[in-house]
């Protein structure tokens, strides 16, 4: 794989920002000195069909969901210097999971706006005809000035009508809706569930349905014997905000928000943010 100082077409790599199972993200500059985030596919071998298809699909979906405000900016994707790469806007900040763990004031002092902007990002994705299917705090960046960006569209798919079963169970079980874990048909309301789990976690520092594996998470989702309402863990929460989070976490998809714009509208009303 490339190292610091290597050139990928017009881009020069400088610093490894993050490394995961399938890709690395580098800080890079172009010939004009402008900064970008460059995501490199780690397994780009001849027979890595799934990894390459997922990487390409994610890049194309990101391109289709551009809004200039809540979605990480798309620049280009393809082969650069022999490496399969996605060129994106560079955001100096951290993901919500890291900020939550650190108790960072950029999150804690702006939590109302973060919750609204997070839901607004999903609204953009859904309005463009896609479901993200990997909604979680780790996939949301927050800059030092409180600007939010949704990232990682590798699992995204067009919204089906009617809902349909997914070919493969992919994602993080703690944020998967019951219908996903049961391998039943899904649509964009699975993202609404994942948003509810994320919001609950950001507001209480705990997951609503914790578990070591998918089976344990599903058991807790279905029986709810150990479920604790958000206000029991954080008494400062407005009653209306708790109602919104609990509606996102309804067991039956039909009882959740069918349209994300309604979720955004109700969040703004509950949190008195225009």
């Amino acid at each position: 794989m490339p190292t610091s100082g290597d050139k990928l077409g017009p881009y020069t790599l400088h610093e490894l920002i993050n490394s995961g199972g399938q890709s690395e993200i580098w800080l890079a500059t172009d010939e004009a000195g402008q900064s970008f985030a460059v995501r490199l596919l780690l397994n780009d071998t001849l027979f890595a069909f799934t990894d390459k298809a997922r990487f390409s699909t994610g890049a194309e979906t990101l391109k289709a969901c551009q809004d200039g405000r809540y979605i990480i900016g798309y620049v280009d994707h393809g082969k650069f210097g022999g490496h399969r790469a996605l060129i994106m806007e560079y955001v100096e900040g951290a993901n919500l999971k890291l900020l939550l763990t650190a108790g960072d004031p950029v999150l804690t002092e702006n939590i109302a706006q973060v919750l609204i902007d997070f839901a607004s990002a999903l609204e953009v994705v859904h309005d463009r005809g896609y479901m993200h299917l990997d909604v979680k705090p780790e996939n949301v960046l927050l800059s030092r000035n409180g600007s939010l960006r949704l990232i990682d569209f590798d699992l995204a798919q067009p919204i089906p009508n009617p809902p349909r079963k997914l070919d493969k169970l992919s994602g993080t079980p703690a944020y998967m809706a019951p219908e996903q874990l049961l391998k039943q048909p899904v649509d964009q309301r699975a993202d609404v569930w994942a948003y509810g789990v994320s919001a609950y976690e950001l507001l209480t520092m705990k997951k609503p349905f914790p578990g070591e594996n998918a089976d344990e998470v599903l058991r807790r989702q279905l029986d709810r014997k150990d479920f604790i309402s958000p206000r029991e863990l954080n008494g400062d929460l407005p009653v209306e905000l708790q109602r919104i989070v609990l509606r996102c976490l309804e067991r039956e998809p039909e009882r959740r928000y069918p349209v994300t714009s309604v979720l955004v509208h109700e969040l703004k009303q509950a949190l008195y943010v225009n």
Side-chain angles (χ1 to χ4, degrees):
M1 290 301 294
T3 58
S4 179
D6 285 356
K7 289 186 69 67
L8 274 67
Y11 303 100
T12 301
L13 303 182
H14 295 287
E15 179 185 352
L16 181 62
I17 300 172
N18 195 10
S19 181
Q22 296 181 335
S23 63
E24 292 181 343
I25 299 179
W26 287 78
L27 170 62
T29 54
D30 63 7
E31 293 166 347
Q34 186 175 358
S35 296
F36 297 91
V38 175
R39 185 179 179 213
L40 299 174
L41 181 64
L42 291 176
N43 186 6
D44 195 16
T45 57
L46 181 62
F47 295 105
F49 303 118
T50 300
D51 288 352
K52 289 190 289 188
R54 182 176 288 180
F55 189 88
S56 178
T57 297
E60 291 289 349
T61 306
L62 174 61
K63 183 179 180 181
C65 291
Q66 290 299 285
D67 77 318
R69 189 171 182 187
Y70 304 117
I71 309 296
I72 194 73
Y74 168 91
V75 178
D76 199 2
H77 77 280
K79 284 277 192 142
F80 298 85
H83 296 279
R84 198 174 301 270
L86 168 62
I87 316 300
M88 300 174 289
E89 166 193 20
Y90 173 65
V91 174
E92 189 171 354
N95 70 56
L96 296 187
K97 183 68 172 181
L98 291 174
L99 295 174
L100 180 65
T101 302
D104 196 303
V106 73
L107 172 60
T108 57
E109 294 176 7
N110 297 286
I111 186 63
Q113 194 64 55
V114 167
L115 290 174
I116 292 169
D117 291 351
F118 190 170
S120 298
L122 281 183
E123 182 183 9
V124 172
V125 176
H126 295 168
D127 285 352
R128 302 294 169 84
Y130 295 92
M131 47 187 183
H132 187 279
L133 294 180
D134 202 13
V135 173
K136 56 184 178 180
E138 290 94 326
N139 282 338
V140 180
L141 298 180
L142 195 65
S143 72
R144 299 312 303 174
N145 67 1
S147 180
L148 180 145
R149 297 289 189 276
L150 180 64
I151 64 171
D152 200 343
F153 286 71
D154 281 10
L155 300 183
Q157 295 186 25
I159 295 173
N161 187 18
R164 68 170 179 82
K165 294 181 181 180
L166 300 176
D167 296 332
K168 184 179 180 182
L169 192 64
S170 300
T172 306
Y175 301 93
M176 287 185 184
E179 62 268 24
Q180 282 177 279
L181 294 173
L182 289 167
K183 299 179 182 177
Q184 296 174 346
V186 305
D187 61 12
Q188 77 282 354
R189 291 169 296 185
D191 283 347
V192 173
W193 170 279
Y195 173 85
V197 174
S198 300
Y200 183 109
E201 186 175 7
L202 293 172
L203 293 166
T204 68
M205 298 193 70
K206 296 182 182 295
K207 290 185 175 66
F209 308 104
E212 296 296 323
N213 52 55
D215 290 339
E216 188 175 347
V217 170
L218 178 61
R219 179 184 61 78
R220 289 178 180 270
Q221 290 175 350
L222 297 180
D223 67 35
R224 299 197 176 218
K225 291 179 182 178
D226 302 320
F227 180 75
I228 303 173
S229 67
R231 279 174 53 84
E232 291 181 71
L233 297 170
N234 183 352
D236 293 333
L237 299 187
V239 173
E240 185 65 9
L241 179 57
Q242 172 168 275
R243 183 194 67 78
I244 292 169
V245 173
L246 293 180
R247 183 175 177 186
C248 292
L249 295 176
E250 286 283 358
R251 162 70 182 84
E252 300 298 331
E254 294 77 14
R255 298 175 65 87
R256 297 177 212 146
Y257 291 95
V259 180
T260 322
S261 58
V262 177
L263 167 61
V264 173
H265 176 72
E266 291 192 3
L267 282 168
K268 289 180 178 179
Q269 287 190 315
L271 298 170
Y272 308 105
V273 177
N274 295 321

